Amino acid sequence: MLATRTLNSVRTLAQPLIAAGISQELLQRSVAFARRRISAGQALYRAGQVLRAVYFVNAGCIKSVLASSDGRERVTGFHLRGELLALESIGAGTHEGDALALEDSEVWEIAMCDLMSAAARQPELQAAMTLQLSAQVRAERQWLLSVGTLGAEQRVATLLLDLGRRLHALGFSATHFVLRMTRAEIGSFLNLQLETVTRAISHLRERGLLDVTRREIRILDAQALSELASSGATAH
Amino acid sequence: MLATRTLNSVRTLAQPLIAAGISQELLQRSVAFARRRISAGQALYRAGQVLRAVYFVNAGCIKSVLASSDGRERVTGFHLRGELLALESIGAGTHEGDALALEDSEVWEIAMCDLMSAAARQPELQAAMTLQLSAQVRAERQWLLSVGTLGAEQRVATLLLDLGRRLHALGFSATHFVLRMTRAEIGSFLNLQLETVTRAISHLRERGLLDVTRREIRILDAQALSELASSGATAH
DNA sequence: CGGTGATTTGATTTTTCTCAATCCGGGTGG
DNA sequence: CCACCCGGATTGAGAAAAATCAAATCACCG
């Protein structure tokens, strides 16, 4: 078995990152930030807390969760290096949901007051925030479409391909990686029960598209997986 | 039968509007815009078109639709007076989805070049766009949660209450209004089939919570409807 | 080395979808 | 003026997808 360190758990990375809208460089030269480590399972912030900072994920994997007052909840995203967290809570004053580390992670904490004053000084930073948020809306709508129109297997395939693509953009393998989230968390994100996720993965394995050992994923036929994921024919 | 003109189809309104982030006043004094009328069924824009403008809904009702290349599609929102359309396509260069008028409507068209130059001059406008988008992310996540965790009846109840609330904020009745969208469009938004929407509405009527005649809705027991909509117990 | 949480698999139930038929109102043209 | 037509809405019956309930296995951790 591979040491997970050689997969997608590296702490630092050579190449700079360009998140949609806000580049790492723009952040670094525009605002002060503090490195902060969160160990697996710990909360970066919780729903309802006063919004004191936004966070740039520098390493690890963070899930964001939205819950209602009566106990219903959904995972709204899995965030890798290069993504910005809590930006959508600007204007709300408090965090809209929880952010939990799925593995030991590092974020750059950007205090709201610093961000606001920097944005006031630097129009390009304010504009970058707009671009960042608009990209976030577009990305989340794509998931809305996928989750709403695809069957269980197709949704799981889509998520695996998406994770692979994003990891690849970070310099990791697109076809061989370790899931940082449980089946239940995948299900919560894809609007499925954990058993359904398991069955979907099992079926993809039986069809020879994947090789799976618990959290370790090897995509054997990305082409076929991709075709499956976007086959309007077998929808739902 | 009431003349629909006395319900929620008024063209102009006395009180000013404050969309989350971008107020009507801020728009009016910051950028040039052109009034544009769209008749029922017409497209304001289509997916793939170059993003030349964003739109402030001044009257009527617009639906936005996201489609995939293989024919799957979802209604992503129903937009009333005070809402801003296409802002999420900033940074993409082209429209992400279609916008169709559900009734004769009026929008204020704000050319992208004007918006950009105005935002560059006026930091408060750029900041308002950020707030607008962050509010949009929050609102859409709430729907993600509702659609993902509630049963069919609860979803329909939630939508009716939401429409009532928004119409009330515009000076109309919160309990008596005319739906501008078909059952199929409601279903697309709530991730249900049109027959399921019909059945949910029928059942709510049988329980005495609603009075329904085709598109005309009268909410008889908003309290009970609201409790139904947020009962984690009977989820899904 | 037991225990705990995660995963897998199976059996059954529930919800919603799908297919089909009917109804209804508004508009059209004879 | 009225019969007809059409899209939307409603209702029913059966099918399918996923949820739920249950049990067994597995890996990791103390």
PDB file of all heavy atoms in Angstrom, chain A residues 151-152 191-193 195-196 199 214 236, chain D residues 16-22 26-28:
ATOM      1  N   GLY A 151     -28.342  10.219 -11.908  1.00  0.00           N
ATOM      2  CA  GLY A 151     -28.578   9.131 -10.983  1.00  0.00           C
ATOM      3  C   GLY A 151     -27.393   8.976 -10.035  1.00  0.00           C
ATOM      4  O   GLY A 151     -26.371   9.645 -10.177  1.00  0.00           O
ATOM      5  N   ALA A 152     -27.556   8.097  -9.066  1.00  0.00           N
ATOM      6  CA  ALA A 152     -26.569   7.953  -8.002  1.00  0.00           C
ATOM      7  C   ALA A 152     -25.176   7.645  -8.555  1.00  0.00           C
ATOM      8  O   ALA A 152     -24.190   8.283  -8.168  1.00  0.00           O
ATOM      9  CB  ALA A 152     -27.009   6.854  -7.045  1.00  0.00           C
ATOM     10  N   ASN A 191     -26.300  14.346  -2.094  1.00  0.00           N
ATOM     11  CA  ASN A 191     -27.686  14.085  -1.772  1.00  0.00           C
ATOM     12  C   ASN A 191     -28.034  12.600  -1.934  1.00  0.00           C
ATOM     13  O   ASN A 191     -29.013  12.251  -2.605  1.00  0.00           O
ATOM     14  CB  ASN A 191     -28.616  14.961  -2.624  1.00  0.00           C
ATOM     15  CG  ASN A 191     -29.968  15.150  -1.977  1.00  0.00           C
ATOM     16  OD1 ASN A 191     -30.145  14.879  -0.797  1.00  0.00           O
ATOM     17  ND2 ASN A 191     -30.933  15.606  -2.748  1.00  0.00           N
ATOM     18  N   LEU A 192     -27.228  11.765  -1.330  1.00  0.00           N
ATOM     19  CA  LEU A 192     -27.456  10.324  -1.332  1.00  0.00           C
ATOM     20  C   LEU A 192     -27.178   9.787   0.065  1.00  0.00           C
ATOM     21  O   LEU A 192     -26.476  10.408   0.849  1.00  0.00           O
ATOM     22  CB  LEU A 192     -26.507   9.632  -2.318  1.00  0.00           C
ATOM     23  CG  LEU A 192     -26.631   9.975  -3.796  1.00  0.00           C
ATOM     24  CD1 LEU A 192     -25.447   9.427  -4.564  1.00  0.00           C
ATOM     25  CD2 LEU A 192     -27.935   9.460  -4.360  1.00  0.00           C
ATOM     26  N   GLN A 193     -27.707   8.613   0.337  1.00  0.00           N
ATOM     27  CA  GLN A 193     -27.366   7.942   1.591  1.00  0.00           C
ATOM     28  C   GLN A 193     -26.011   7.266   1.433  1.00  0.00           C
ATOM     29  O   GLN A 193     -25.607   6.920   0.324  1.00  0.00           O
ATOM     30  CB  GLN A 193     -28.418   6.888   1.931  1.00  0.00           C
ATOM     31  CG  GLN A 193     -29.747   7.468   2.290  1.00  0.00           C
ATOM     32  CD  GLN A 193     -29.682   8.473   3.396  1.00  0.00           C
ATOM     33  OE1 GLN A 193     -29.966   9.649   3.185  1.00  0.00           O
ATOM     34  NE2 GLN A 193     -29.299   8.045   4.595  1.00  0.00           N
ATOM     35  N   GLU A 195     -25.072   4.290   2.060  1.00  0.00           N
ATOM     36  CA  GLU A 195     -25.158   2.967   1.437  1.00  0.00           C
ATOM     37  C   GLU A 195     -25.257   3.077  -0.085  1.00  0.00           C
ATOM     38  O   GLU A 195     -24.690   2.266  -0.814  1.00  0.00           O
ATOM     39  CB  GLU A 195     -26.377   2.193   1.961  1.00  0.00           C
ATOM     40  CG  GLU A 195     -26.347   1.881   3.448  1.00  0.00           C
ATOM     41  CD  GLU A 195     -27.086   2.911   4.256  1.00  0.00           C
ATOM     42  OE1 GLU A 195     -27.118   4.077   3.842  1.00  0.00           O
ATOM     43  OE2 GLU A 195     -27.636   2.556   5.319  1.00  0.00           O
ATOM     44  N   THR A 196     -25.980   4.084  -0.524  1.00  0.00           N
ATOM     45  CA  THR A 196     -26.122   4.282  -1.967  1.00  0.00           C
ATOM     46  C   THR A 196     -24.777   4.655  -2.594  1.00  0.00           C
ATOM     47  O   THR A 196     -24.448   4.201  -3.687  1.00  0.00           O
ATOM     48  CB  THR A 196     -27.170   5.379  -2.251  1.00  0.00           C
ATOM     49  OG1 THR A 196     -28.370   5.052  -1.561  1.00  0.00           O
ATOM     50  CG2 THR A 196     -27.453   5.490  -3.729  1.00  0.00           C
ATOM     51  N   ARG A 199     -22.760   1.471  -2.789  1.00  0.00           N
ATOM     52  CA  ARG A 199     -23.231   0.623  -3.884  1.00  0.00           C
ATOM     53  C   ARG A 199     -22.818   1.195  -5.236  1.00  0.00           C
ATOM     54  O   ARG A 199     -22.423   0.444  -6.139  1.00  0.00           O
ATOM     55  CB  ARG A 199     -24.746   0.467  -3.813  1.00  0.00           C
ATOM     56  CG  ARG A 199     -25.172  -0.625  -2.868  1.00  0.00           C
ATOM     57  CD  ARG A 199     -26.673  -0.849  -2.964  1.00  0.00           C
ATOM     58  NE  ARG A 199     -27.351  -0.316  -1.810  1.00  0.00           N
ATOM     59  CZ  ARG A 199     -27.647  -1.023  -0.721  1.00  0.00           C
ATOM     60  NH1 ARG A 199     -27.301  -2.295  -0.642  1.00  0.00           N
ATOM     61  NH2 ARG A 199     -28.281  -0.481   0.279  1.00  0.00           N
ATOM     62  N   ARG A 214     -11.228   0.890   0.182  1.00  0.00           N
ATOM     63  CA  ARG A 214     -11.680   1.881   1.170  1.00  0.00           C
ATOM     64  C   ARG A 214     -11.559   3.299   0.616  1.00  0.00           C
ATOM     65  O   ARG A 214     -12.277   3.620  -0.330  1.00  0.00           O
ATOM     66  CB  ARG A 214     -10.931   1.698   2.481  1.00  0.00           C
ATOM     67  CG  ARG A 214     -11.412   0.438   3.246  1.00  0.00           C
ATOM     68  CD  ARG A 214     -10.634   0.166   4.500  1.00  0.00           C
ATOM     69  NE  ARG A 214     -10.917   1.088   5.590  1.00  0.00           N
ATOM     70  CZ  ARG A 214     -12.041   1.067   6.287  1.00  0.00           C
ATOM     71  NH1 ARG A 214     -13.010   0.239   5.984  1.00  0.00           N
ATOM     72  NH2 ARG A 214     -12.215   1.900   7.297  1.00  0.00           N
ATOM     73  N   HIS A 236     -31.204   9.808 -13.920  1.00  0.00           N
ATOM     74  CA  HIS A 236     -32.005   9.407 -12.778  1.00  0.00           C
ATOM     75  C   HIS A 236     -32.347   7.931 -12.826  1.00  0.00           C
ATOM     76  O   HIS A 236     -33.261   7.496 -12.213  1.00  0.00           O
ATOM     77  CB  HIS A 236     -33.281  10.255 -12.694  1.00  0.00           C
ATOM     78  CG  HIS A 236     -33.234  11.217 -11.543  1.00  0.00           C
ATOM     79  ND1 HIS A 236     -33.418  10.833 -10.250  1.00  0.00           N
ATOM     80  CD2 HIS A 236     -32.995  12.529 -11.509  1.00  0.00           C
ATOM     81  CE1 HIS A 236     -33.329  11.869  -9.473  1.00  0.00           C
ATOM     82  NE2 HIS A 236     -33.065  12.922 -10.201  1.00  0.00           N
TER      83      HIS A 236
ATOM     84  P    DA D  16     -39.422  -1.080 -14.059  1.00  0.00           P
ATOM     85  OP1  DA D  16     -38.843  -1.257 -15.402  1.00  0.00           O
ATOM     86  OP2  DA D  16     -39.547  -2.229 -13.115  1.00  0.00           O
ATOM     87  O5'  DA D  16     -38.611   0.072 -13.318  1.00  0.00           O
ATOM     88  C5'  DA D  16     -38.665   1.401 -13.832  1.00  0.00           C
ATOM     89  C4'  DA D  16     -37.954   2.332 -12.872  1.00  0.00           C
ATOM     90  O4'  DA D  16     -38.767   2.525 -11.695  1.00  0.00           O
ATOM     91  C3'  DA D  16     -36.613   1.794 -12.385  1.00  0.00           C
ATOM     92  O3'  DA D  16     -35.676   2.845 -12.412  1.00  0.00           O
ATOM     93  C2'  DA D  16     -36.907   1.327 -10.954  1.00  0.00           C
ATOM     94  C1'  DA D  16     -37.993   2.301 -10.538  1.00  0.00           C
ATOM     95  N9   DA D  16     -38.898   1.793  -9.506  1.00  0.00           N
ATOM     96  C8   DA D  16     -39.444   0.540  -9.416  1.00  0.00           C
ATOM     97  N7   DA D  16     -40.240   0.379  -8.386  1.00  0.00           N
ATOM     98  C5   DA D  16     -40.223   1.623  -7.762  1.00  0.00           C
ATOM     99  C6   DA D  16     -40.866   2.103  -6.617  1.00  0.00           C
ATOM    100  N6   DA D  16     -41.691   1.366  -5.870  1.00  0.00           N
ATOM    101  N1   DA D  16     -40.636   3.394  -6.263  1.00  0.00           N
ATOM    102  C2   DA D  16     -39.809   4.126  -7.024  1.00  0.00           C
ATOM    103  N3   DA D  16     -39.147   3.776  -8.126  1.00  0.00           N
ATOM    104  C4   DA D  16     -39.403   2.500  -8.443  1.00  0.00           C
ATOM    105  P    DA D  17     -34.109   2.532 -12.402  1.00  0.00           P
ATOM    106  OP1  DA D  17     -33.592   2.924 -13.715  1.00  0.00           O
ATOM    107  OP2  DA D  17     -33.874   1.168 -11.862  1.00  0.00           O
ATOM    108  O5'  DA D  17     -33.577   3.573 -11.326  1.00  0.00           O
ATOM    109  C5'  DA D  17     -34.134   4.876 -11.280  1.00  0.00           C
ATOM    110  C4'  DA D  17     -34.123   5.372  -9.849  1.00  0.00           C
ATOM    111  O4'  DA D  17     -35.139   4.665  -9.108  1.00  0.00           O
ATOM    112  C3'  DA D  17     -32.804   5.145  -9.126  1.00  0.00           C
ATOM    113  O3'  DA D  17     -32.257   6.402  -8.795  1.00  0.00           O
ATOM    114  C2'  DA D  17     -33.173   4.308  -7.889  1.00  0.00           C
ATOM    115  C1'  DA D  17     -34.672   4.452  -7.797  1.00  0.00           C
ATOM    116  N9   DA D  17     -35.382   3.268  -7.309  1.00  0.00           N
ATOM    117  C8   DA D  17     -35.307   1.979  -7.785  1.00  0.00           C
ATOM    118  N7   DA D  17     -36.097   1.138  -7.160  1.00  0.00           N
ATOM    119  C5   DA D  17     -36.726   1.918  -6.213  1.00  0.00           C
ATOM    120  C6   DA D  17     -37.684   1.603  -5.229  1.00  0.00           C
ATOM    121  N6   DA D  17     -38.195   0.386  -5.035  1.00  0.00           N
ATOM    122  N1   DA D  17     -38.118   2.617  -4.440  1.00  0.00           N
ATOM    123  C2   DA D  17     -37.609   3.844  -4.637  1.00  0.00           C
ATOM    124  N3   DA D  17     -36.710   4.255  -5.531  1.00  0.00           N
ATOM    125  C4   DA D  17     -36.308   3.233  -6.290  1.00  0.00           C
ATOM    126  P    DA D  18     -30.798   6.499  -8.154  1.00  0.00           P
ATOM    127  OP1  DA D  18     -30.264   7.799  -8.586  1.00  0.00           O
ATOM    128  OP2  DA D  18     -30.039   5.253  -8.388  1.00  0.00           O
ATOM    129  O5'  DA D  18     -31.132   6.572  -6.601  1.00  0.00           O
ATOM    130  C5'  DA D  18     -32.100   7.522  -6.159  1.00  0.00           C
ATOM    131  C4'  DA D  18     -32.549   7.172  -4.761  1.00  0.00           C
ATOM    132  O4'  DA D  18     -33.283   5.926  -4.790  1.00  0.00           O
ATOM    133  C3'  DA D  18     -31.423   6.987  -3.743  1.00  0.00           C
ATOM    134  O3'  DA D  18     -31.575   7.987  -2.747  1.00  0.00           O
ATOM    135  C2'  DA D  18     -31.604   5.567  -3.204  1.00  0.00           C
ATOM    136  C1'  DA D  18     -33.054   5.260  -3.560  1.00  0.00           C
ATOM    137  N9   DA D  18     -33.359   3.845  -3.776  1.00  0.00           N
ATOM    138  C8   DA D  18     -32.733   2.970  -4.625  1.00  0.00           C
ATOM    139  N7   DA D  18     -33.238   1.758  -4.588  1.00  0.00           N
ATOM    140  C5   DA D  18     -34.265   1.850  -3.660  1.00  0.00           C
ATOM    141  C6   DA D  18     -35.197   0.898  -3.169  1.00  0.00           C
ATOM    142  N6   DA D  18     -35.223  -0.375  -3.567  1.00  0.00           N
ATOM    143  N1   DA D  18     -36.078   1.319  -2.250  1.00  0.00           N
ATOM    144  C2   DA D  18     -36.047   2.602  -1.859  1.00  0.00           C
ATOM    145  N3   DA D  18     -35.239   3.580  -2.238  1.00  0.00           N
ATOM    146  C4   DA D  18     -34.355   3.132  -3.152  1.00  0.00           C
ATOM    147  P    DA D  19     -30.873   7.932  -1.296  1.00  0.00           P
ATOM    148  OP1  DA D  19     -30.717   9.342  -0.888  1.00  0.00           O
ATOM    149  OP2  DA D  19     -29.718   7.015  -1.331  1.00  0.00           O
ATOM    150  O5'  DA D  19     -32.005   7.300  -0.355  1.00  0.00           O
ATOM    151  C5'  DA D  19     -33.247   7.979  -0.249  1.00  0.00           C
ATOM    152  C4'  DA D  19     -34.099   7.368   0.850  1.00  0.00           C
ATOM    153  O4'  DA D  19     -34.439   6.008   0.493  1.00  0.00           O
ATOM    154  C3'  DA D  19     -33.430   7.287   2.226  1.00  0.00           C
ATOM    155  O3'  DA D  19     -34.387   7.609   3.217  1.00  0.00           O
ATOM    156  C2'  DA D  19     -32.935   5.848   2.304  1.00  0.00           C
ATOM    157  C1'  DA D  19     -33.964   5.103   1.463  1.00  0.00           C
ATOM    158  N9   DA D  19     -33.402   3.965   0.719  1.00  0.00           N
ATOM    159  C8   DA D  19     -32.330   3.975  -0.134  1.00  0.00           C
ATOM    160  N7   DA D  19     -32.063   2.810  -0.675  1.00  0.00           N
ATOM    161  C5   DA D  19     -33.037   1.975  -0.145  1.00  0.00           C
ATOM    162  C6   DA D  19     -33.304   0.612  -0.313  1.00  0.00           C
ATOM    163  N6   DA D  19     -32.588  -0.189  -1.132  1.00  0.00           N
ATOM    164  N1   DA D  19     -34.344   0.088   0.361  1.00  0.00           N
ATOM    165  C2   DA D  19     -35.067   0.890   1.158  1.00  0.00           C
ATOM    166  N3   DA D  19     -34.916   2.191   1.406  1.00  0.00           N
ATOM    167  C4   DA D  19     -33.871   2.674   0.720  1.00  0.00           C
ATOM    168  P    DT D  20     -34.020   7.683   4.742  1.00  0.00           P
ATOM    169  OP1  DT D  20     -35.006   8.588   5.340  1.00  0.00           O
ATOM    170  OP2  DT D  20     -32.565   7.923   4.876  1.00  0.00           O
ATOM    171  O5'  DT D  20     -34.298   6.216   5.289  1.00  0.00           O
ATOM    172  C5'  DT D  20     -35.620   5.692   5.214  1.00  0.00           C
ATOM    173  C4'  DT D  20     -35.600   4.256   5.687  1.00  0.00           C
ATOM    174  O4'  DT D  20     -34.910   3.436   4.717  1.00  0.00           O
ATOM    175  C3'  DT D  20     -34.886   4.017   7.031  1.00  0.00           C
ATOM    176  O3'  DT D  20     -35.841   3.449   7.903  1.00  0.00           O
ATOM    177  C2'  DT D  20     -33.742   3.052   6.690  1.00  0.00           C
ATOM    178  C1'  DT D  20     -34.246   2.407   5.414  1.00  0.00           C
ATOM    179  N1   DT D  20     -33.230   1.870   4.464  1.00  0.00           N
ATOM    180  C2   DT D  20     -33.328   0.575   4.047  1.00  0.00           C
ATOM    181  O2   DT D  20     -34.207  -0.175   4.436  1.00  0.00           O
ATOM    182  N3   DT D  20     -32.369   0.175   3.160  1.00  0.00           N
ATOM    183  C4   DT D  20     -31.332   0.939   2.643  1.00  0.00           C
ATOM    184  O4   DT D  20     -30.546   0.460   1.842  1.00  0.00           O
ATOM    185  C5   DT D  20     -31.281   2.293   3.120  1.00  0.00           C
ATOM    186  C7   DT D  20     -30.195   3.200   2.623  1.00  0.00           C
ATOM    187  C6   DT D  20     -32.215   2.689   3.996  1.00  0.00           C
ATOM    188  P    DC D  21     -35.534   3.264   9.468  1.00  0.00           P
ATOM    189  OP1  DC D  21     -36.812   3.497  10.168  1.00  0.00           O
ATOM    190  OP2  DC D  21     -34.326   4.036   9.812  1.00  0.00           O
ATOM    191  O5'  DC D  21     -35.167   1.706   9.573  1.00  0.00           O
ATOM    192  C5'  DC D  21     -36.083   0.738   9.062  1.00  0.00           C
ATOM    193  C4'  DC D  21     -35.426  -0.629   9.024  1.00  0.00           C
ATOM    194  O4'  DC D  21     -34.504  -0.699   7.920  1.00  0.00           O
ATOM    195  C3'  DC D  21     -34.632  -0.989  10.290  1.00  0.00           C
ATOM    196  O3'  DC D  21     -35.054  -2.270  10.733  1.00  0.00           O
ATOM    197  C2'  DC D  21     -33.185  -0.980   9.806  1.00  0.00           C
ATOM    198  C1'  DC D  21     -33.351  -1.386   8.347  1.00  0.00           C
ATOM    199  N1   DC D  21     -32.235  -1.008   7.453  1.00  0.00           N
ATOM    200  C2   DC D  21     -31.775  -1.934   6.510  1.00  0.00           C
ATOM    201  O2   DC D  21     -32.302  -3.048   6.449  1.00  0.00           O
ATOM    202  N3   DC D  21     -30.757  -1.584   5.682  1.00  0.00           N
ATOM    203  C4   DC D  21     -30.216  -0.374   5.768  1.00  0.00           C
ATOM    204  N4   DC D  21     -29.222  -0.080   4.929  1.00  0.00           N
ATOM    205  C5   DC D  21     -30.672   0.580   6.716  1.00  0.00           C
ATOM    206  C6   DC D  21     -31.678   0.230   7.538  1.00  0.00           C
ATOM    207  P    DA D  22     -34.453  -2.879  12.093  1.00  0.00           P
ATOM    208  OP1  DA D  22     -35.546  -3.667  12.690  1.00  0.00           O
ATOM    209  OP2  DA D  22     -33.784  -1.810  12.861  1.00  0.00           O
ATOM    210  O5'  DA D  22     -33.330  -3.883  11.549  1.00  0.00           O
ATOM    211  C5'  DA D  22     -33.665  -4.816  10.521  1.00  0.00           C
ATOM    212  C4'  DA D  22     -32.432  -5.600  10.137  1.00  0.00           C
ATOM    213  O4'  DA D  22     -31.646  -4.848   9.168  1.00  0.00           O
ATOM    214  C3'  DA D  22     -31.477  -5.926  11.293  1.00  0.00           C
ATOM    215  O3'  DA D  22     -31.231  -7.320  11.304  1.00  0.00           O
ATOM    216  C2'  DA D  22     -30.236  -5.120  10.993  1.00  0.00           C
ATOM    217  C1'  DA D  22     -30.282  -5.035   9.468  1.00  0.00           C
ATOM    218  N9   DA D  22     -29.532  -3.930   8.885  1.00  0.00           N
ATOM    219  C8   DA D  22     -29.522  -2.626   9.270  1.00  0.00           C
ATOM    220  N7   DA D  22     -28.739  -1.851   8.548  1.00  0.00           N
ATOM    221  C5   DA D  22     -28.199  -2.727   7.619  1.00  0.00           C
ATOM    222  C6   DA D  22     -27.285  -2.549   6.562  1.00  0.00           C
ATOM    223  N6   DA D  22     -26.737  -1.367   6.245  1.00  0.00           N
ATOM    224  N1   DA D  22     -26.959  -3.643   5.830  1.00  0.00           N
ATOM    225  C2   DA D  22     -27.506  -4.815   6.139  1.00  0.00           C
ATOM    226  N3   DA D  22     -28.369  -5.110   7.109  1.00  0.00           N
ATOM    227  C4   DA D  22     -28.676  -4.009   7.811  1.00  0.00           C
ATOM    228  P    DC D  26     -13.350  -9.529   6.033  1.00  0.00           P
ATOM    229  OP1  DC D  26     -12.953 -10.043   4.706  1.00  0.00           O
ATOM    230  OP2  DC D  26     -13.076 -10.320   7.258  1.00  0.00           O
ATOM    231  O5'  DC D  26     -12.729  -8.086   6.221  1.00  0.00           O
ATOM    232  C5'  DC D  26     -13.217  -7.009   5.428  1.00  0.00           C
ATOM    233  C4'  DC D  26     -12.734  -5.697   6.018  1.00  0.00           C
ATOM    234  O4'  DC D  26     -13.593  -5.308   7.104  1.00  0.00           O
ATOM    235  C3'  DC D  26     -11.322  -5.790   6.589  1.00  0.00           C
ATOM    236  O3'  DC D  26     -10.469  -4.959   5.829  1.00  0.00           O
ATOM    237  C2'  DC D  26     -11.456  -5.324   8.042  1.00  0.00           C
ATOM    238  C1'  DC D  26     -12.815  -4.619   8.052  1.00  0.00           C
ATOM    239  N1   DC D  26     -13.555  -4.680   9.346  1.00  0.00           N
ATOM    240  C2   DC D  26     -13.957  -3.493   9.966  1.00  0.00           C
ATOM    241  O2   DC D  26     -13.672  -2.407   9.440  1.00  0.00           O
ATOM    242  N3   DC D  26     -14.640  -3.551  11.129  1.00  0.00           N
ATOM    243  C4   DC D  26     -14.936  -4.745  11.672  1.00  0.00           C
ATOM    244  N4   DC D  26     -15.634  -4.752  12.814  1.00  0.00           N
ATOM    245  C5   DC D  26     -14.546  -5.972  11.061  1.00  0.00           C
ATOM    246  C6   DC D  26     -13.864  -5.897   9.908  1.00  0.00           C
ATOM    247  P    DA D  27      -8.899  -5.049   6.012  1.00  0.00           P
ATOM    248  OP1  DA D  27      -8.267  -4.942   4.681  1.00  0.00           O
ATOM    249  OP2  DA D  27      -8.569  -6.169   6.919  1.00  0.00           O
ATOM    250  O5'  DA D  27      -8.639  -3.680   6.780  1.00  0.00           O
ATOM    251  C5'  DA D  27      -9.080  -2.463   6.179  1.00  0.00           C
ATOM    252  C4'  DA D  27      -8.903  -1.328   7.163  1.00  0.00           C
ATOM    253  O4'  DA D  27      -9.816  -1.494   8.270  1.00  0.00           O
ATOM    254  C3'  DA D  27      -7.507  -1.240   7.767  1.00  0.00           C
ATOM    255  O3'  DA D  27      -7.108   0.113   7.718  1.00  0.00           O
ATOM    256  C2'  DA D  27      -7.684  -1.737   9.206  1.00  0.00           C
ATOM    257  C1'  DA D  27      -9.126  -1.355   9.492  1.00  0.00           C
ATOM    258  N9   DA D  27      -9.822  -2.241  10.442  1.00  0.00           N
ATOM    259  C8   DA D  27      -9.836  -3.606  10.453  1.00  0.00           C
ATOM    260  N7   DA D  27     -10.574  -4.131  11.408  1.00  0.00           N
ATOM    261  C5   DA D  27     -11.077  -3.020  12.072  1.00  0.00           C
ATOM    262  C6   DA D  27     -11.924  -2.889  13.186  1.00  0.00           C
ATOM    263  N6   DA D  27     -12.448  -3.933  13.845  1.00  0.00           N
ATOM    264  N1   DA D  27     -12.226  -1.645  13.590  1.00  0.00           N
ATOM    265  C2   DA D  27     -11.713  -0.599  12.932  1.00  0.00           C
ATOM    266  N3   DA D  27     -10.901  -0.601  11.868  1.00  0.00           N
ATOM    267  C4   DA D  27     -10.626  -1.848  11.489  1.00  0.00           C
ATOM    268  P    DC D  28      -5.634   0.538   7.999  1.00  0.00           P
ATOM    269  OP1  DC D  28      -5.242   1.475   6.938  1.00  0.00           O
ATOM    270  OP2  DC D  28      -4.816  -0.674   8.283  1.00  0.00           O
ATOM    271  O5'  DC D  28      -5.802   1.363   9.347  1.00  0.00           O
ATOM    272  C5'  DC D  28      -6.867   2.317   9.442  1.00  0.00           C
ATOM    273  C4'  DC D  28      -7.147   2.597  10.902  1.00  0.00           C
ATOM    274  O4'  DC D  28      -7.800   1.469  11.516  1.00  0.00           O
ATOM    275  C3'  DC D  28      -5.885   2.869  11.732  1.00  0.00           C
ATOM    276  O3'  DC D  28      -6.089   4.054  12.464  1.00  0.00           O
ATOM    277  C2'  DC D  28      -5.767   1.635  12.630  1.00  0.00           C
ATOM    278  C1'  DC D  28      -7.225   1.258  12.788  1.00  0.00           C
ATOM    279  N1   DC D  28      -7.480  -0.167  13.154  1.00  0.00           N
ATOM    280  C2   DC D  28      -8.390  -0.438  14.196  1.00  0.00           C
ATOM    281  O2   DC D  28      -8.955   0.501  14.773  1.00  0.00           O
ATOM    282  N3   DC D  28      -8.639  -1.736  14.525  1.00  0.00           N
ATOM    283  C4   DC D  28      -8.033  -2.724  13.872  1.00  0.00           C
ATOM    284  N4   DC D  28      -8.329  -3.973  14.236  1.00  0.00           N
ATOM    285  C5   DC D  28      -7.109  -2.466  12.822  1.00  0.00           C
ATOM    286  C6   DC D  28      -6.868  -1.188  12.494  1.00  0.00           C
TER     287       DC D  28
END
